[in-house]
Amino acid sequence: MGLSLPRERVIARAERGNALNWTGLAAVRGLGSPFLSADLFNTVLLRLGATDFVLGLFALNQIISLPSQFLAARTIDRTEHKVRVAWLASVAGILPVLLPLSVLAVTGGKVGMWVFFAAVSGHLLVSQVAGAFNGVAQMDLLSRVLRAERRGTLFGFQGSLGGLSGILGGLALASVMARLEYPSGFISAWSIGIFLSVGGSLLLLRLRELP
């Protein structure tokens, strides 16, 4: 038996709102992602004297990937506050950028290579754990805020819009880096990235599970 007309209208309205918020989230994330690119951290490290071997040490963070995914899946399955968990995980994956940003700002860029490496490692470690929770939470949430037959179109449009906004973000980043000297350019870029990503994540809180 099909849905009654009033119930179908409620679900359709909720889906439209969810689709708009999810698409907006993709656009803002795409815009902010170049400002938080790992290439920026690596550029600073190379400037401070890091070698390719030192940069390769970041791969050790991958060791925590599997247990983080498992823990995230168990936690998300058990929680009833999936929207809140998805938002908290998203923010937790962004705010650790404040660690290398603060180190660079406080020292005026005159920081030891290993000190900055430790700050970036801390950022990546926390971000990876938070990213595991964020990924699992959002995939679970997506199944609850959109019906299966609507997701394909959303993914396609979301990918296109995210790619376009990423290009615009890259151009904006290039402009910032060209106008500001070291370390102001990096500090400004990370600050912009944090602002856009945290601000965009608020759209997660507007998602509503379908009745």
Side-chain angles (χ1 to χ4, degrees):
M1 181 180 296
L3 295 174
S4 63
L5 186 57
R7 180 175 172 78
E8 173 64 27
R9 286 178 177 171
V10 170
I11 292 177
R13 181 180 301 173
E15 275 191 318
R16 285 195 297 271
N18 288 336
L20 286 173
N21 287 318
W22 206 282
T23 302
L25 176 63
V28 178
R29 275 183 175 169
L31 193 62
S33 60
F35 292 93
L36 301 177
S37 168
D39 290 339
L40 292 179
F41 299 110
N42 291 343
T43 300
V44 175
L45 282 166
L46 290 172
R47 184 186 182 99
L48 296 174
T51 63
D52 289 340
F53 173 78
V54 172
L55 299 183
L57 293 177
F58 287 132
L60 294 176
N61 285 326
Q62 298 297 324
I63 296 175
I64 67 169
S65 178
L66 184 59
S68 297
Q69 292 284 346
F70 176 76
L71 179 61
R74 292 289 298 270
T75 303
I76 299 304
D77 283 343
R78 295 179 179 181
T79 185
E80 296 180 358
H81 306 289
K82 300 183 185 297
V83 171
R84 188 179 304 172
V85 169
W87 177 73
L88 288 173
S90 179
V91 172
I94 299 165
L95 292 184
V97 179
L98 288 171
L99 186 56
L101 186 158
S102 299
V103 168
L104 207 63
V106 169
T107 62
K110 299 177 181 178
V111 57
M113 186 272 291
W114 287 111
V115 173
F116 190 74
F117 175 85
V120 176
S121 294
H123 151 58
L124 294 178
L125 186 64
V126 176
S127 294
Q128 187 162 359
V129 175
F133 278 82
N134 187 33
V136 173
Q138 290 197 29
M139 289 304 297
D140 182 83
L141 190 58
L142 184 62
S143 67
R144 299 170 184 273
V145 299
L146 287 172
R147 288 177 286 187
E149 59 269 21
R150 304 290 178 88
R151 294 173 203 158
T153 302
L154 176 66
F155 279 145
F157 184 67
Q158 178 182 347
S160 299
L161 187 59
L164 178 60
S165 61
I167 293 173
L168 294 176
L171 294 174
L173 172 62
S175 176
V176 170
M177 299 303 291
R179 292 171 181 270
L180 299 175
E181 297 182 354
Y182 173 85
S184 298
F186 294 94
I187 294 171
S188 299
W190 294 331
S191 299
I192 293 171
I194 292 173
F195 174 77
L196 289 172
S197 299
V198 173
S201 72
L202 294 175
L203 292 171
L204 282 171
L205 296 176
R206 296 180 58 84
L207 296 174
R208 297 292 180 266
E209 294 189 31
L210 299 181

